[in-house]
Amino acid sequence: SPAAGQIKFENVTFGFPGAEKPVIADASFVAEPGKTTAIIGSTGAGKTVLLNLMLRLYDPQEGSITIDGAPVDALTRAQLARTVSLVPQRPYLFGGTIASNLRFGRTDANDAELWEALRVAQGEDFVREKELGLEEPVSQGGTNVSGGQRQRLSIARALVAKPLVYLFDDSFSALDVATDARLRAALPDATEGATTIIVAQRVSTITEADQILVMEGGEIVGRGTHDELLATNEVYQEIVRS
Ligand code: M5T
Ligand code: MG
């Protein structure tokens, strides 16, 4: 069957070398193509590590991670990079231009595709205001671009790559509420058919997710829709109240 981007964790346990307690403990879940899986939980719960495991920044000591049934450790790094795009919690831009940064995941993307990704990522206006537009220089680390702009360019970069799987690690929290809302309204069309996994801080931004995973201390302590979790899960209820 053609690649679709289903992500499956089975009993995944991971700890950093030398640490006594695992950072991810016995995590199992499936993220389906065409659906949005949200991950929520307090700071240090293991949300970023969970995403990083999908990209094989490190490998679990126990359990398996598969994409469409194939173990991620059977894919080359290049294959994995074409399949999965991560928008990291602290986005990184490299020295070059806005265009070269956006083409990082797919060098043959044309300018129209870059503008379309910028439109969805709510970055179109500020790039148009640059004297050189897409060819505006970006310094290493993106220090001549504001934090919110960096985040939007990083989201646009992921969209340009057109992966099967999108991982957004807290990618919308630096955006003001109105920009966040416009981006979320545009995102479903732009990512249609893909597997989308969103780490979020604000419950209000994930109430529509097909599935929400609640993480605490490296464990998945709840899963379901917003309404299901609201009715049954104490950790989720606490997050909603806070
Ligand atoms: C989970 C530890 C961290 C925490 C736990 C990335 C990273 C994490 N940790 C390390 O020791 N080394 C590392 O390189 O792992 O951390 P997390 O996954 O980053 O937590 P989070 O994403 O849920 O938190 P936050 O603050 O982003 O909401 O014990 O010290
Ligand atoms: Mg994190």
Side-chain angles (χ1 to χ4, degrees):
S1 68
Q6 185 206 58
I7 300 266
K8 189 173 199 175
F9 273 54
E10 281 179 294
N11 307 107
V12 170
T13 294
F14 169 76
F16 288 103
E20 40 190 89
K21 208 174 156 282
V23 170
I24 300 294
D26 201 24
S28 299
F29 70 92
V30 181
E32 297 288 359
K35 306 272 188 199
T36 297
T37 295
I39 305 174
I40 200 157
S42 57
T43 185
K47 306 182 295 296
T48 292
V49 170
L50 198 75
L51 297 193
N52 289 350
L53 282 166
M54 295 179 213
L55 278 183
R56 292 199 63 209
L57 297 191
Y58 15 80
D59 289 323
Q61 281 90 16
E62 286 170 46
S64 74
I65 304 171
T66 57
I67 299 181
D68 298 322
V72 283
D73 50 13
L75 302 173
T76 65
R77 247 163 238 287
Q79 286 171 323
L80 203 51
R82 274 197 300 278
T83 310
V84 182
S85 282
L86 168 70
V87 179
Q89 196 163 13
R90 284 174 208 79
Y92 187 80
L93 301 180
F94 53 84
T97 61
I98 288 177
S100 69
N101 269 280
L102 294 180
R103 286 199 178 95
F104 182 66
R106 194 163 59 85
T107 48
D108 65 349
N110 64 35
D111 281 8
E113 291 174 294
L114 303 190
W115 284 116
E116 172 57 15
L118 285 167
R119 183 188 67 77
V120 174
Q122 307 303 309
E124 190 179 5
D125 289 354
F126 85 79
V127 176
R128 285 212 190 279
E129 281 163 19
K130 301 282 187 195
E131 198 182 336
L132 298 176
L134 289 172
E135 298 313 317
E136 187 78 12
V138 172
S139 61
Q140 190 176 342
T143 48
N144 62 336
V145 177
S146 80
Q149 291 173 345
R150 223 169 15 241
Q151 210 167 29
R152 283 179 262 182
L153 290 176
S154 184
I155 293 164
R157 173 194 280 162
L159 292 166
V160 168
K162 295 195 194 310
L164 294 175
V165 182
Y166 289 92
L167 308 178
F168 295 105
D169 192 352
D170 200 12
S171 303
F172 313 112
S173 55
L175 306 174
D176 61 78
V177 172
T179 305
D180 186 349
R182 281 198 300 275
L183 199 155
R184 279 162 198 287
L187 210 54
D189 274 351
T191 60
E192 201 184 352
T195 307
T196 302
I197 303 181
I198 298 182
V199 169
Q201 295 280 351
R202 299 191 283 253
V203 168
S204 61
T205 61
I206 56 159
T207 52
E208 304 293 310
D210 297 292
Q211 160 181 241
I212 300 169
L213 307 177
V214 184
M215 286 192 73
E216 189 180 55
E219 289 177 48
I220 299 172
V221 296
R223 71 189 70 214
T225 63
H226 172 74
D227 288 340
E228 287 163 1
L229 288 166
L230 206 52
T232 60
N233 190 271
E234 283 181 24
V235 178
Y236 193 75
Q237 290 162 354
E238 184 58 37
I239 294 169
V240 170
R241 273 196 301 270
S242 63

